[in-house]
Amino acid sequence: MEPAFVDITQGRIDTERLIAAVTRPSAGGTAVFIGTTRNPSDGREVSHLVYEAYEPMALGRMSAIAAEAGARWPLIAACLVHRVGRVEPGEASVVVAVSAAHRGAAFEACRFLIDALKKDVPIWKKEVFADGERWGGP
Amino acid sequence: MNAVKVLVFGRVREIVAAGSVELPVPAGTTAGSILDTLAARHPELLPWRPHLRVAVNREYARDDAPVAPGDEVAVIPPVSGG
């Protein structure tokens, strides 16, 4: 696999552009995961979310898990982008896009990448409610 | 005095009320002793102590990993990206 594109961005994630970035003539398919802000959360009305990252380490971990996926599956290209700052309900906070010659590898690697990102990458979410706030946890 | 700048994030950053804190690094300082020192200064962190990880030079470190002046140290509360 070519080196993955990883990014942490303040602004809206352009999903179309990321899909285009991993699309290749040799790819039979592209699997995409879009994580969006959930509302309500545990029955509480969410005003918005705020994400923060330890950026240099987060980018390093994102590149490392992408390289691991590239070693486990025959991928063609991959990208992982996470948003930081304020995110409104319904907006994308994270996008993973993976292309491969065949769909099985693309689906499996995409699932692996979002699971590994949630477990390993130093990014934190705070949910802000009308009546309080809560940091995400394990 | 030898010291390291310890980066803090998320709920830990709010409790410490700063984005980083300078801590002394006497001989024998480890990732775990950094957490103990920080929790002693900020007792609100004590319930978090079992859930905190430390990164040294942008890699997750075991509690017994040595920390030396000049290292980049960060306290990593439970991650919640996605």
Side-chain angles (χ1 to χ4, degrees):
Chain A
M1 184 182 73
E2 45 191 278
F5 173 75
V6 299
D7 194 23
I8 290 173
T9 179
Q10 287 275 345
R12 189 180 158 277
I13 300 175
D14 185 345
T15 306
E16 289 290 328
R17 187 175 70 83
L18 297 180
I19 293 169
V22 299
T23 300
R24 299 285 182 282
S26 56
T30 297
V32 183
F33 177 82
I34 304 171
T36 50
T37 305
R38 185 171 47 231
N39 183 36
S41 176
D42 296 334
R44 297 176 77 184
E45 177 80 7
V46 175
S47 160
H48 61 276
L49 271 66
V50 180
Y51 286 90
E52 71 179 72
Y54 176 19
E55 280 201 31
M57 181 175 170
L59 291 169
R61 292 303 311 152
M62 288 159 79
S63 293
I65 61 177
E68 189 182 338
R72 286 177 61 174
W73 290 278
L75 306 180
I76 293 171
C79 75
L80 293 87
V81 176
H82 205 294
R83 193 166 160 185
V84 289
R86 178 175 170 137
V87 180
E88 305 298 329
E91 290 186 335
S93 52
V94 62
V95 174
V96 177
V98 182
S99 62
H102 301 285
R103 68 184 181 282
F107 274 124
E108 288 173 21
C110 189
R111 173 69 188 256
F112 165 82
L113 284 168
I114 185 61
D115 288 351
L117 182 148
K118 290 175 78 87
K119 179 167 162 281
D120 255 8
V121 176
I123 295 174
W124 299 273
K125 168 178 76 178
K126 181 163 74 172
E127 291 174 301
V128 180
F129 305 103
D131 57 350
E133 56 186 43
R134 176 177 70 186
W135 284 97
Chain B
M1 183 183 67
N2 287 330
V4 283
K5 184 165 131 178
V6 178
L7 306 171
V8 291
F9 298 94
R11 181 68 189 129
V12 177
R13 175 179 54 72
E14 290 184 342
I15 289 171
V16 171
S20 68
V21 55
E22 291 267 332
L23 291 183
V25 276
T29 297
T30 62
S33 73
I34 291 275
L35 290 178
D36 293 336
T37 303
L38 197 63
R41 286 193 187 186
H42 301 276
E44 236 188 305
L45 287 176
L46 285 171
W48 285 77
R49 173 68 181 84
H51 307 290
L52 300 178
R53 283 191 282 179
V54 172
V56 177
N57 300 324
R58 302 177 182 174
E59 297 283 352
Y60 289 114
R62 291 160 40 120
D63 262 22
D64 61 359
V67 171
D71 283 338
E72 182 174 314
V73 179
V75 174
I76 311 288
V79 302
S80 52

